[in-house]
Amino acid sequence: MNTRRVAIIGAGAAGLVAARELIRVGHEPVIFEQSARIGGVWVFDPAIDDDPSGRQADKPVYSSIYASLRTNLPRDLMAFLDYPFDSQGGGQDDWPRFPHHRCVLTYLENFCRDFQLQNYLRCNHRIVSVRPESNSWQVTWDLADHSLTTETFDAVMVCNGHYSQPRVPHLPGIEHFKGRIIHSHNYRDAKAYQDQRVVLWGAAASGADISREIATTAAKVDWCGQALAGRQASVLPNPVHTHGEPIGFDPQGDLVLSDAERLTDIDVLMFCTGYEYQFPFLSNDIVSVEDNWVSPLYQDLVVPAYPTLAFIGLPYLIVPFPLFEIQARWFARWLAGQFNLPEQRQMEADQRAHVQSLRDAGIKTRHFHKLAEKQTDYFNRLSAQCGEPPLAEWFSNLTLLAQQARLASPNTFRDVPLSDEKTPG
């Protein structure tokens, strides 16, 4: 096997496990991290953007987690498959089943230490350009003094995450709104919303968690989203009133909803509308991002025309760390010659067929990377290609059990024991 020199962009969970998988098969990784430390999205920063709405920040903050955040998955699932989230791996036995974000960062720091990944790490290196040249890649970065340096690599793994650039959909008439606008990216705690009327838009996990937390201090909380139409408000003592999708503001500054209801006297509008994929260091000739869909990619992983360029961690609504791990293992083993990829034309044909199946199913373009209930099949498909066994039955069972608990008790599921006697240990 020929040793490959591989640039990894990002030192979050995806970048760290990518480095370990490369080392295991004899490659040489170099991990580039634009900040001063590892951890990616799990590094908490109390500061927020100079534009809280997330639309035109001149001095963006990359952290998107709030002070009280805990995982919405049990730590058994959060862990890499061979590095537990307890004293046998990078965690502690007395940590909560649904750990606080500080625990997750500690786990990643321990992972970096235990696998000696700091030897391959370059912090405060911001990638500005990744260009193909013959059978290699020219990777250019800058430092704090703005000096530019370029090196040649055999392959590149993009692990820069997708939870730092707020997605702010257009809302007609928003210029008439007289209150404050903020994206959940810039939410840190509920104290700033004392005695105010707060409207949140977005029915995913951040909207669910933040709406409940803000309700402990706000005068009234309204939570809006297409999936919330017809749902009952939460119970006392801190009710959250649910509504359908916003369609715009009227000239008086009232928010008009899809059922013609109007919300008046709003102090704060919070967008909980997710994040944008962005790769400013790559040419659009290599990959494009259309309505949050990154293409063209075979297996949501490699560019058919440039298979030595991999993207780790694009899928969402997943169990993240194990999925990053199998993606990284798949790519590392392919680089090592342990299995073959189809020819470029076949990968392109497979990718077109996959996209057509999504369109035929009525899935919106911005949800093309959404896996959810399809994640086990995706994991097992990659495992089979790279010679790994499928996911253990306990893992799929616990994933389903955690989802059921979250739906049944959205306010308390993190603190209610799970009846998962089939899990290991």
Side-chain angles (χ1 to χ4, degrees), residues 96-145:
R97 190 79 183 274
F98 293 80
H100 187 266
H101 63 76
R102 287 192 302 268
C103 300
V104 182
L105 180 59
T106 298
Y107 171 87
L108 291 174
E109 291 171 338
N110 291 341
F111 182 85
C112 183
R113 177 203 65 205
D114 289 348
F115 293 98
Q116 300 180 348
L117 302 180
Q118 66 274 8
N119 299 334
Y120 306 90
L121 182 64
R122 300 183 189 180
C123 287
N124 297 310
H125 283 58
R126 184 178 68 90
I127 301 298
V128 297
S129 174
V130 175
R131 295 181 295 105
E133 185 172 296
S134 186
N135 293 320
S136 63
W137 293 90
Q138 300 297 305
V139 178
T140 302
W141 64 87
D142 70 5
L143 302 174
D145 61 2

Side-chain angles (χ1 to χ4, degrees), residues 100-357:
H100 187 266
H101 63 76
R102 287 192 302 268
C103 300
V104 182
L105 180 59
T106 298
Y107 171 87
L108 291 174
E109 291 171 338
N110 291 341
F111 182 85
C112 183
R113 177 203 65 205
D114 289 348
F115 293 98
Q116 300 180 348
L117 302 180
Q118 66 274 8
N119 299 334
Y120 306 90
L121 182 64
R122 300 183 189 180
C123 287
N124 297 310
H125 283 58
R126 184 178 68 90
I127 301 298
V128 297
S129 174
V130 175
R131 295 181 295 105
E133 185 172 296
S134 186
N135 293 320
S136 63
W137 293 90
Q138 300 297 305
V139 178
T140 302
W141 64 87
D142 70 5
L143 302 174
D145 61 2
H146 302 296
S147 60
L148 296 179
T149 305
T150 300
E151 286 187 15
T152 301
F153 293 87
D154 299 301
V156 175
M157 300 177 78
V158 179
C159 307
N160 66 334
H162 46 89
Y163 293 106
S164 62
Q165 177 60 46
R167 176 179 175 270
V168 184
H170 175 63
L171 198 55
I174 198 167
E175 67 275 8
H176 301 303
F177 178 54
K178 301 175 181 63
R180 287 193 294 142
I181 301 172
I182 184 172
H183 190 279
S184 58
H185 165 71
N186 289 306
Y187 173 78
R188 296 296 182 264
D189 60 54
K191 292 182 292 185
Y193 306 92
Q194 184 76 40
D195 300 327
Q196 297 185 329
R197 182 174 189 181
V198 181
V199 174
L200 301 95
W201 178 20
S206 62
D209 286 347
I210 294 172
S211 64
R212 288 192 293 270
E213 184 166 291
I214 284 182
T216 63
T217 62
K220 185 176 183 181
V221 174
D222 296 276
W223 182 26
C224 304
Q226 184 175 356
L228 302 174
R231 188 186 296 185
Q232 294 295 314
S234 64
V235 297
L236 295 172
N238 302 309
V240 174
H241 303 271
T242 54
H243 309 271
E245 191 85 351
I247 60 174
F249 284 92
D250 66 16
Q252 288 72 46
D254 297 338
L255 184 61
V256 182
L257 305 179
S258 54
D259 59 359
E261 183 183 5
R262 276 174 163 74
L263 302 182
T264 62
D265 300 320
I266 301 168
D267 296 300
V268 180
L269 172 65
M270 182 179 295
F271 286 84
C272 301
T273 45
Y275 296 86
E276 302 279 3
Y277 296 93
Q278 56 173 352
F279 312 102
F281 44 82
L282 283 170
S283 165
N284 288 336
D285 294 335
I286 299 174
V287 292
S288 64
V289 182
E290 173 199 346
D291 194 17
N292 246 16
W293 168 47
V294 185
S295 71
L297 292 178
Y298 172 71
Q299 302 280 43
D300 269 358
L301 252 170
V302 296
V303 182
Y306 302 97
T308 53
L309 175 65
F311 293 79
I312 307 300
L314 292 187
Y316 69 98
L317 277 191
I318 56 168
V319 180
F321 291 10
L323 190 116
F324 301 163
E325 185 175 7
I326 195 61
Q327 286 186 317
R329 188 168 300 168
W330 182 94
F331 185 68
R333 290 185 177 179
W334 172 72
L335 277 182
Q338 295 186 15
F339 69 95
N340 295 320
L341 288 180
E343 296 293 331
Q344 178 181 339
R345 287 185 179 180
Q346 185 60 54
M347 286 193 285
E348 290 171 342
D350 289 350
Q351 190 258 354
R352 288 193 298 270
H354 172 65
V355 169
Q356 190 59 52
S357 70

